[in-house]
DNA sequence: ATGAAAGCGCTAACAG
DNA sequence: CTGTTAGCGCTTTCAT
């Protein structure tokens, strides 16, 4: 049998409430405290989080929902969130949603049954009704690298518009005018695309909507889309990918067609993952201050969970262009 | 207030035990059942997993311990484990341990307090005492891509020795005789190294222990070690990295020294991650049937959790060499 | 087929 | 400072 608070109490010759009090750092006589502590050691006692949570305490567990844990960028985020959460004694239940609204709903519902203390919706979360329910029910929620301005929830984000603007401007300054975009069905991609459009307009260039493609998250689909884009009558000389994984898919596709990068085609990524450094050629991409973002996210959420802060914040972090070898002057 | 079993019972005009019975698919009169089901809908009732677990039922949660979620290969595993677990209605609490025995212990201890139903120790887990405790206390444990033969636990693994043997043989067949190895402090690396030694012995080559380096998991350290290896008097013409991340670190380091890969130096990876396809040059590496491994792992663990199977298995999966562009004939 | 009641391990008044 | 007791929400005998 697992050892319970009763076992400890009995062996220490005190009542269970005394034991409970030493666990919760409440006023207890020195002698009793020593004794209890000692017995807890001896019995290798581990208080049940279940039982204590049932009485209204926290489970010290956060639900982390993200599109796909297998995506290296997402995994990097998860790891950083995890580290910070651990510092506060919280653990993470992680669910990949594949951007699928039903999965999103199921996961949240399941985690609520398991009484997680709060949620971090990271990178992209589509099902707004689910967010609305969470907000209605006063469940702490934080949006990380995702934004839904209609909800009054804590959120922390890079300025994707600026990021999209930065890559587009960079390409334009290299002489490119026919620039395709490949993104995902997510707010962040949408915003990056908006930044791109802004840059185009400022430079007096026309945006061609049919040079903008939206991929599901599979590498295969992205490659197919890339090939289609490259076969477009207004053959683009550059492709902006809305994340590094897409960029790499684009590189592979372009190479299959026999294109040299960056000579024949410039490609940019987004996120500055490990991938972008090690691929061939190394990617021009956009760096976000992931580390701080994730740490802040956890801090904010835990503050809300512990009721230490009642006001919500929306934090915007500015991104930074990292120029590597995948972009070059337009040869056209 | 959250709606409880009492609310449902009251509104349905039955007792809580009847409600409980319909939730657990026990014998209940048709009429009552219909009524209860309807009320549950109306009230949007979600039974508390905490409460039910407190009475001895499962939490339907698995603890997944791994060295580093930010490692793409590990993340890929996690994702596959997650998918399979979800199929059974289980969720995953994920903890990165950084191969640090104290973290390993803390994480396991924390998760036990949270009453996870079982553990998957994936990729590498060093603290044997922790495993021993788990086994002693009859907590379901499964070793995935890691082995500790001294424990009678379910495990599923690729045959690392064969994998190491395969890359080494490949390099030997290309004429290399001075082959360095860079691994991590993990069983899998150790076994891969053993395979390498075996291949050497069979070819009548001598193994030089000082050409074998063990890196902590940081990219920086791996790079430093690579440079040291390359400065060795018996300058190696090939490097076997025990995983793709290490291989990429080695590539970067070699390139800094001005070496061309694979002309001056052949490098092999291990795991066949996305990284290995997209890096420059694409890596010769070893593929494991990750998908099936992870699914089987979950199946096995859940069987044990549900007490459906009492016997333990040790499954070995055979790896497969994938030859790409990072290896070439020895020029020496 | 249904309900009353005990109990899972812990917390939180409330008394003493 | 310490112990008694009543729950938290659910499962499970055991009666009815």
């Amino acid at each position: 049998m697992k050892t319970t608070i009763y076992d400890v109490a009995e062996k220490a010759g005190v009542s269970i409430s005394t034991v409970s009090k030493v666990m919760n750092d409440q006023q207890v006589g020195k002698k009793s405290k020593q004794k209890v502590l000692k017995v807890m050691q001896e019995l290798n006692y581990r208080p049940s989080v279940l039982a204590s949570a049932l009485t209204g305490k926290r489970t010290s567990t956060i639900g982390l929902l993200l599109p796909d844990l297998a995506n290296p960028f997402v995994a990097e985020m998860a790891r950083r969130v995890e580290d910070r959460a651990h510092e506060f004694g919280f653990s993470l239940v992680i669910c990949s949603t594949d951007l699928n609204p039903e999965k999103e709903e199921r996961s949240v519902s399941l985690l609520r049954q398991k009484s997680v203390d709060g949620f971090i919706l990271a990178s992209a979360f589509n099902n707004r009704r689910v967010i609305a329910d969470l907000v209605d029910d006063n469940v702490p929620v934080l949006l990380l690298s995702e934004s839904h301005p209609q909800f009054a929830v804590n959120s922390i984000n890079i300025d994707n518009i600026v990021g999209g603007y930065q890559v587009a401007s960079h390409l334009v300054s290299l002489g490119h005018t026919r620039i395709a975009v490949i993104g995902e069905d997510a707010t962040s991609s949408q915003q990056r695309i908006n930044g791109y459009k802004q840059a185009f307009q400022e430079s007096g260039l026309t945006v061609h909507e049919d040079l903008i493609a939206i991929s599901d998250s599979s590498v295969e689909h992205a490659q197919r889309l890339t090939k289609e884009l490259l076969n477009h009558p207004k053959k683009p000389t550059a492709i902006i990918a809305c994340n590094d994984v897409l960029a790499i898919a684009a590189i592979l596709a372009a190479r299959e067609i026999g294109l040299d990068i960056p000579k024949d085609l410039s490609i940019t990524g987004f996120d500055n993952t490990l991938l972008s450094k090690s691929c061939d050629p190394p990617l021009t991409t956009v760096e976000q201050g992931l580390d701080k973002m994730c740490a802040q996210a956890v801090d904010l959420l835990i503050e809300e969970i512990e009721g230490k802060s009642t006001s919500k914040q929306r934090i915007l972090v500015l991104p930074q262009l990292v120029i590597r070898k995948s972009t070059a002057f337009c040869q056209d």
Side-chain angles (χ1 to χ4, degrees), chain A:
Chain A
M1 250 358 284
K2 263 204 77 186
T3 101
T4 76
I5 195 173
Y6 285 96
D7 305 324
V8 176
E10 184 175 6
K11 185 154 180 196
V14 298
S15 78
I16 59 166
S17 70
T18 300
V19 177
S20 173
K21 284 183 178 107
V22 346
M23 290 195 288
N24 296 285
D25 281 318
Q26 300 177 32
Q27 296 258 302
V28 178
K30 281 222 165 186
K31 302 216 145 185
S32 302
K33 185 162 180 176
Q34 293 311 318
K35 183 115 198 184
V36 168
L37 253 14
K38 184 158 152 280
V39 173
M40 296 206 302
Q41 280 286 145
E42 292 172 9
L43 263 41
N44 191 223
Y45 169 64
R46 314 160 192 266
S48 156
V49 172
L50 292 190
S52 106
L54 195 56
T55 73
K57 294 220 144 182
R58 312 268 76 98
T59 52
S60 295
T61 306
I62 293 173
L64 175 62
L65 300 218
L66 29 74
D68 179 14
L69 191 53
N71 175 314
F73 175 64
V74 170
E76 243 180 273
M77 283 191 35
R79 173 57 147 107
R80 291 177 153 126
V81 169
E82 189 206 327
D83 280 348
R84 188 63 165 195
H86 278 164
E87 286 180 30
F88 293 97
F90 277 70
S91 17
L92 251 41
V93 184
I94 299 182
C95 295
S96 298
T97 65
D98 291 319
L99 262 30
N100 173 333
E102 279 95 49
K103 278 197 197 175
E104 292 175 339
E105 172 154 22
R106 270 207 308 280
S107 297
V108 169
S109 175
L110 184 60
L111 297 197
R112 288 188 70 176
Q113 289 190 206
K114 295 191 179 174
S115 304
V116 300
D117 297 330
F119 288 90
I120 294 182
L121 311 183
S123 189
F125 194 93
N126 289 334
N127 196 326
R128 300 192 176 174
R129 228 203 46 240
V130 170
I131 303 183
D133 286 350
L134 252 14
V135 173
D136 283 350
D137 297 350
N138 256 298
V139 178
V141 190
L142 183 143
L143 265 30
L144 175 57
S145 277
E146 164 65 308
S147 70
H148 289 285
Q150 59 270 193
F151 299 113
V153 301
N154 282 315
S155 78
I156 167 154
N157 232 128
I158 63 153
D159 194 324
N160 283 304
I161 300 187
V162 169
Y165 182 92
Q166 286 175 340
V167 279
S169 303
H170 169 63
L171 290 170
V172 168
S173 76
L174 290 172
H176 296 275
T177 55
R178 298 192 309 281
I179 304 177
V181 183
I182 182 163
E184 287 183 345
D185 179 23
T187 320
S188 61
S189 282
Q190 203 46 61
Q191 292 175 332
R192 289 164 194 182
I193 293 172
N194 285 342
Y196 148 87
K197 290 181 178 170
Q198 235 168 271
F200 256 50
Q201 279 154 13
E202 280 186 18
S203 310
L205 296 166
T206 350
V207 173
H208 295 286
E209 289 291 344
D210 44 350
L211 283 180
I212 298 177
I214 300 299
S215 159
D216 61 31
S217 44
S218 78
V219 175
E220 292 72 24
H221 189 212
Q223 293 193 1
R224 216 170 332 114
L225 285 178
T226 304
K227 289 181 187 163
E228 286 171 19
L229 288 172
L230 292 173
N231 283 328
H232 192 278
K234 303 188 202 60
K235 195 171 183 308
T237 61
I239 295 183
I240 292 176
C242 285
N243 63 239
D244 288 344
V245 175
L246 288 175
I248 286 173
I251 289 178
L252 296 177
R255 196 168 285 153
E256 277 181 31
I257 301 184
L259 262 34
D260 182 275
I261 294 160
K263 195 161 71 64
D264 307 324
L265 179 72
S266 288
I267 294 184
T268 64
F270 212 109
D271 294 341
N272 195 26
T273 54
L274 182 59
L275 248 55
S276 60
K277 280 164 221 148
S278 59
C279 72
D280 173 34
L283 276 178
T284 292
T285 186
V286 177
E287 152 87 17
Q288 9 185 335
L290 244 206
D291 235 353
K292 278 156 288 170
M293 284 181 59
C294 294
Q296 275 191 64
V298 172
D299 294 353
L300 238 54
L301 182 67
I302 291 186
E303 270 181 22
E304 187 179 349
I305 288 173
E306 304 195 326
K308 289 196 179 139
S309 155
T310 144
S311 69
K312 314 279 193 226
Q313 299 186 249
R314 184 165 330 201
I315 300 179
L316 263 195
V317 178
L318 291 185
Q320 207 164 356
L321 186 67
V322 178
I323 298 176
R324 295 209 183 84
K325 307 285 188 192
S326 67
T327 50
F329 279 106
C330 178
Q331 304 287 316
D332 214 42

